[in-house]
Amino acid sequence: MTTDRGVLRWGVLGTGWIATAFLEGLRAVHGARVTAVGSRSAAAAERFADTWDIPNRHVGVTALAEDPDVDVVYIATPHSAHHAGTLACLAAGKHVLCEKPLAMNARQVTEMIGAARSHGRFLMEAMWTRFAPASRKISDLLAAGAIGELRMLIANFGNAVPYDPASRLWNPELGGGALLDLGVYPIALASHFLGDLTVVGVSGRLDPQGKVDAQSTVLVENRDGVTGLLACSLEAPLPNRVALIGTRGRIEVERWWCPTDFVLYRDGSEPEAYAFPHRANGYEHEAEEVARCIAAGEQESPLMPWAESLRIMRIMDEVRQRLGVVYPYADTP
């Protein structure tokens, strides 16, 4: 669906901070051009388009999805709008890169995958961590046995956010809580490095109204007995580090959701520091994978396949169920 000698024409649905961050990364991607933006507000679409010199401005997902000058849509709306936005774009023949979490629950993810399959379009969850060169190098080191056999993964992601029931972060109708905003990162990391997971235990605190999780800790285990200790919080600034621990060493990563640096500790050796700086801000890597897949005629990325997104969402569904968190709009059939 590319035009103009290999140029991939992007549309952006949503005008918030993450849409801005993505376009900053997209600047570093060869052959990418942003041709359209869609928003619930005409004023927001105009402001965003003026800032980024985007020619086509639309109100609502339908108009953006039907824009003939768009090949692929980046969905940067709140979680609660991912499902409907993705279905509309796929039905209109557009490829889709949708922000994480892909949807609000596994039922919605299953429907989105089915739509991509039936319409013959590309769909990928925007799990940007997965595509960073540092992440790929860590995978190579683990496969080469640099730390022996992996035995444990420890990952946490938390920030202290003032409680405001009017905020999206605390609103169950919009997928609020720590789990979907922050917990998706450590769960996705565990799924990446450990494979199929069983939820062994869940502990957490709900917000003052008892509607969404303010903090969650999850213990998972794979079929080989390798464990993952995962935590997320909207109440506390966690260390925000990852440790991959093996029988003969470990790998530690700072700012691991957008990794550029990590340290390898081999037993009996001096620490080895690795650095893989981004060309832009880290979002360029997932955009390049989208372009590669579309050019190759692939409907899903081998680095972030549909089955992986579904596995991550099923784990989050189970965690929510154990905590008693319900999203009324999405969880009602």
Side-chain angles (χ1 to χ4, degrees), residues 44-321:
E46 291 291 340
R47 283 194 301 269
F48 193 85
D50 288 344
T51 299
W52 289 95
D53 193 24
I54 301 172
N56 301 351
R57 299 103 188 265
H58 302 289
V59 177
V61 62
T62 301
L64 176 64
E66 294 177 351
D67 189 326
D69 295 329
V70 172
D71 302 313
V72 55
V73 176
Y74 170 63
I75 295 181
T77 56
H79 316 325
S80 55
H82 288 181
H83 174 252
T86 294
L87 293 182
C89 291
L90 292 171
K94 302 299 189 283
H95 303 292
V96 174
L97 173 67
C98 181
E99 258 310 323
K100 74 198 92 55
L102 192 57
M104 296 273 276
N105 55 35
R107 175 182 57 80
Q108 289 187 344
V109 170
T110 300
E111 291 174 359
M112 293 157 74
I113 292 170
R117 184 178 285 116
S118 64
H119 292 295
R121 299 292 92 185
F122 175 83
L123 169 66
M124 190 180 83
E125 184 174 11
M127 193 64 66
W128 67 325
T129 307
R130 186 71 55 96
F131 306 98
S135 293
R136 298 197 191 195
K137 181 61 177 180
I138 290 170
S139 294
D140 292 342
L141 288 169
L142 293 176
I147 60 172
E149 296 182 12
L150 186 61
R151 285 291 178 263
M152 181 177 291
L153 181 153
I154 302 172
N156 53 71
F157 198 4
N159 299 299
V161 179
Y163 179 66
D164 177 4
S167 165
R168 177 191 67 80
L169 288 173
W170 301 100
N171 187 340
E173 294 287 352
L174 300 179
L179 184 66
L180 261 62
D181 250 81
L182 301 177
V184 63
Y185 280 95
I187 290 172
L189 193 79
S191 181
H192 181 202
F193 289 120
L194 305 187
D196 288 330
L197 300 171
T198 298
V199 178
V200 177
V202 175
S203 176
R205 286 169 46 87
L206 300 185
D207 74 303
Q209 295 187 7
K211 292 183 177 180
V212 298
D213 67 305
Q215 181 169 293
S216 299
T217 302
V218 183
L219 179 64
V220 295
E221 183 179 79
N222 72 4
R223 63 187 63 182
D224 297 319
V226 182
T227 56
L229 181 59
L230 319 172
C232 58
S233 179
L234 291 175
E235 294 185 314
L238 301 182
N240 295 340
R241 298 191 185 106
V242 159
L244 296 150
I245 305 165
T247 54
R248 296 196 304 274
R250 69 187 188 278
I251 294 172
E252 295 186 357
V253 194
E254 303 281 349
R255 201 173 179 271
W256 58 271
W257 57 93
C258 181
T260 55
D261 307 272
F262 64 89
V263 180
L264 168 62
Y265 298 88
R266 304 180 198 251
D267 289 354
S269 301
E270 291 296 314
E272 302 171 40
Y274 290 81
F276 295 86
H278 303 308
R279 300 194 317 278
N281 61 357
Y283 286 91
E284 66 271 23
H285 310 302
E286 65 181 6
E288 287 173 335
E289 176 65 2
V290 171
R292 187 201 66 76
C293 289
I294 291 174
E298 299 173 3
Q299 284 188 256
E300 57 182 314
S301 165
L303 294 176
M304 192 64 205
W306 296 339
E308 182 85 345
S309 293
L310 187 56
R311 176 164 62 195
I312 293 165
M313 186 54 66
R314 283 174 173 159
I315 293 170
M316 293 198 293
D317 281 356
E318 182 171 352
V319 173
R320 282 201 298 118
Q321 182 180 28

